[in-house]
Amino acid sequence: MSANRFQRKYDMETNVVIVGAGPAGATTSIFLAKKGIKHIIFDKADFPRDKICGDGLSGKVVSVLEEMNPALLHKLYAKPDTFLGSWGVYFAAPNGKGVNIPFRLNGRPVEQPPGFVARRIDFDYFLVQNIDNRMANPRFNCEIVSIERRPEGVVLTFRQEGEIKTVLAQMVVGAGGDRCPVNKTLTSYKLAPDHYYAGLRAYYKNVSGMQDGNFIELHFLDEVLPGYFWIFPLPNNMANVGIGMLSRDIRRKRVNLREIMLKAIKENPAIRQRFEQAEEVEGVKGWGLPLASQKRPLSGERFVLVGDAGSLIDPFTGEGIGNAMFSAQIAAGVIARAVERNEYSASLLEEYDRLLYDRLWDEIHLSYRIQRLVQHRWLFNFVINRLNSNKKLMDTFSLMFNDLDMREKLKSPLFYLRLLFNR
Ligand SMILES: Cc1cc2nc3c(=O)[nH]c(=O)nc-3n(C[C@H](O)[C@H](O)[C@H](O)COP(=O)(O)OP(=O)(O)OC[C@H]3O[C@@H](n4cnc5c(N)ncnc54)[C@H](O)[C@@H]3O)c2cc1C
């Protein structure tokens, strides 16, 4: 018998491989571990690592962390120098006028901050440190370079310290973000520029006039509607400053987003004074935001896609971390069933699409409608003006941003009639 017969065909074998250890991948890993499912998780980066983002962590992130392990949330609350609690959001209309909307839970004021702002280099590292190494085999600094579906499973090739190795998995979780290789290789889905934002981010120190309660600020500038310019406060007098715009509009209008951002900082009457003493700590960097506004397949034979790999970013707010973590939580349940039955068919894994869209689609669809409404500059200015002059309306509006049923009202012509007559 030749020695080759005893050589293994693959360097490693496992039931589940996760590609990417950002919020989607790390959360999948943590929930799989809770269910006792062993797996391998790859990331081409080593942690801590940066990710271009606004760094805003919404209430959905808080809810998933609570499900994961309530103690994790207390760890965040205990480190305000890294995780800054945020109590609300400030919306500024294109005319520069704005409203403050405190975050609430089901209309009730809350005791702990309902959201956070934390640099992704810190938040993602925090999640990765909570991966359970008894169930997970983390392979960082390992880039997945090819993926092939074969009758015996999915074969992934990865580069580790200059060497090329292979792993055979029964199924793969695509958590590789906007350019996830699982999405690129195992699906033919292409996101249209109507459903894609381009985003830029920079870090500044000493931006003045920050809101009490560390409110995050969305400034809806004329040039980028329905996108916005943002200022999100960070610990130690730092701020995450950025801008997002639909790719469709960037192409149509042939604009340079970086120039629009820097012009707003230098010239916009509602913004420029705030930056007079500010210092850029890290320059402008860009990345894409695949929006959830178009329903798409999230699974197939031997794979599921979570987070940005499945285009799950809220089309109005641009928040993707919450949906990345929530999709991971749902996916872990379906993966556990697949492993238990040793069945990785498209029909079994499609349960993930169904469960996720059942929970998220109403919210996403509504956000998409609001995104389209705010493209009308006059309507946006009008709503903000009216809210500023009527406290009762302001309270109703505040509830809308915290409660999905209330948000439905934004679609109703009656809401705008009420605004018109200022009741
Ligand atoms: C400018 C900007 C601002 C944003 N602001 C906010 C905000 O304030 N709040 C919010 O909630 N969301 C925001 N988002 C969206 C948010 O960043 C994403 O939704 C979120 O990062 C999705 O997490 P993820 O785990 O799916 O992907 P990612 O965070 O992108 O993680 C993917 C991981 O996969 C790894 N990977 C990729 N390819 C490979 C490979 N071949 N092999 C191995 N590993 C690989 C990467 O190294 C990375 O670690 C913003 C996005 C942008 C671009």
Side-chain angles (χ1 to χ4, degrees):
M1 246 185 276
S2 86
N4 278 346
R5 280 200 58 183
F6 294 103
Q7 276 178 356
R8 284 188 311 172
K9 203 169 165 195
Y10 307 104
D11 295 296
M12 292 191 286
E13 291 189 22
T14 181
N15 283 332
V16 185
V17 156
I18 304 171
V19 178
T27 304
T28 310
S29 170
I30 293 168
F31 278 103
L32 282 181
K34 275 167 76 97
K35 292 173 189 300
I37 310 279
K38 290 199 167 171
H39 56 278
I40 306 176
I41 176 164
F42 286 94
D43 204 294
K44 64 181 176 189
D46 200 3
F47 289 81
R49 64 102 180 85
D50 183 29
K51 155 76 177 78
I52 298 161
C53 186
D55 299 337
L57 304 172
S58 64
K60 204 179 276 171
V61 174
V62 172
S63 312
V64 179
L65 285 174
E66 211 163 14
E67 288 280 320
M68 214 180 245
N69 177 356
L72 292 184
L73 214 47
H74 294 294
K75 283 191 196 168
L76 294 195
Y77 293 138
K79 287 182 120 189
D81 52 337
T82 308
F83 303 100
L84 189 72
S86 172
W87 294 89
V89 52
Y90 170 80
F91 283 94
N95 63 8
K97 298 214 170 103
V99 288
N100 271 325
I101 312 221
F103 294 135
R104 296 153 185 234
L105 283 180
N106 302 322
R108 282 177 290 112
V110 283
E111 279 159 24
Q112 297 286 12
F116 289 90
V117 190
R119 293 183 319 153
R120 289 289 298 276
I121 194 167
D122 297 319
F123 180 67
D124 290 16
Y125 188 41
F126 170 79
L127 280 181
V128 158
Q129 282 175 310
N130 283 288
I131 287 178
D132 181 348
N133 290 349
R134 290 167 303 179
M135 291 292 149
N137 175 355
R139 297 277 167 145
F140 298 152
N141 244 329
C142 286
E143 183 177 6
I144 299 294
V145 289
S146 78
I147 299 169
E148 194 189 332
R149 205 166 22 196
R150 292 188 190 161
E152 69 268 32
V154 183
V155 178
L156 298 105
T157 310
F158 60 97
R159 191 181 296 119
Q160 184 176 16
E161 292 169 358
E163 264 188 75
I164 294 289
K165 295 187 174 171
T166 54
V167 54
L168 173 71
Q170 288 311 302
M171 72 166 289
V172 58
V173 180
D178 181 35
R179 299 178 192 168
C180 179
V182 181
N183 184 31
K184 278 191 189 159
T185 319
L186 300 184
T187 81
S188 53
Y189 186 79
K190 289 262 176 301
L191 206 59
D194 295 40
H195 303 281
Y196 197 82
Y197 265 94
L200 300 178
R201 175 214 72 185
Y203 285 118
Y204 278 82
K205 209 174 171 65
N206 299 330
V207 178
S208 62
M210 300 303 253
Q211 307 270 332
D212 284 346
N214 307 317
F215 278 38
I216 58 171
E217 298 177 33
L218 315 186
H219 298 258
F220 288 84
L221 308 181
D222 245 346
E223 305 92 303
V224 297
L225 280 181
Y228 57 83
F229 172 91
W230 71 80
I231 305 174
F232 290 179
L234 279 164
N236 310 315
N237 221 10
M238 295 271 292
N240 181 316
V241 177
I243 197 162
M245 185 175 184
L246 273 174
S247 297
R248 175 199 70 194
D249 296 342
I250 294 178
R251 282 187 203 176
R252 269 191 203 156
K253 297 180 183 171
R254 297 181 186 202
V255 291
N256 180 325
L257 194 54
R258 190 170 189 277
E259 279 170 13
I260 297 177
M261 174 173 163
L262 297 177
K263 190 166 169 232
I265 290 173
K266 280 203 189 103
E267 295 175 18
N268 186 296
I271 296 170
R272 64 167 187 250
Q273 282 177 338
R274 317 245 327 254
F275 283 82
E276 272 170 7
Q277 307 298 323
E279 182 191 325
E280 190 187 81
V281 176
E282 201 186 298
V284 181
K285 289 182 181 165
W287 195 253
L289 292 89
L291 305 181
S293 35
Q294 204 172 38
K295 227 180 211 181
R296 56 160 295 180
L298 296 170
S299 63
E301 194 192 338
R302 296 191 185 278
F303 76 91
V304 295
L305 302 172
V306 289
D308 282 11
S311 321
L312 288 172
I313 295 183
D314 185 287
F316 173 56
T317 63
E319 296 169 33
I321 304 167
N323 283 351
M325 294 175 68
F326 185 66
S327 61
Q329 182 185 350
I330 301 283
V334 177
I335 295 165
R337 271 198 290 284
V339 172
E340 196 182 302
R341 291 194 202 169
N342 193 26
E343 185 196 332
Y344 303 92
S345 64
S347 59
L348 189 144
L349 295 173
E350 204 183 3
E351 173 78 352
Y352 161 62
D353 302 42
R354 201 183 55 71
L355 289 174
L356 188 68
Y357 279 133
D358 274 359
R359 295 287 298 274
L360 286 186
W361 187 248
D362 282 355
E363 176 188 322
I364 291 167
H365 190 58
L366 204 51
S367 280
Y368 186 39
R369 293 187 71 156
I370 297 173
Q371 185 223 75
R372 281 183 296 172
L373 272 181
V374 303
Q375 305 194 22
H376 304 292
R377 171 186 204 278
W378 61 270
L379 179 67
F380 204 153
N381 287 337
F382 168 74
V383 171
I384 299 287
N385 283 345
R386 278 289 185 268
L387 291 175
N388 267 322
S389 62
N390 185 321
K391 186 175 176 313
K392 210 170 136 212
L393 271 180
M394 181 64 205
D395 287 345
T396 315
F397 192 76
S398 163
L399 283 177
M400 279 174 185
F401 272 91
N402 296 283
D403 182 332
L404 199 59
D405 293 337
M406 293 293 285
R407 246 190 257 179
E408 278 286 336
K409 285 195 178 177
L410 277 179
K411 292 194 300 190
S412 151
L414 273 178
F415 171 72
Y416 295 96
L417 279 176
R418 272 186 72 200
L419 278 182
L420 196 60
F421 294 107
N422 209 0
R423 283 193 287 131

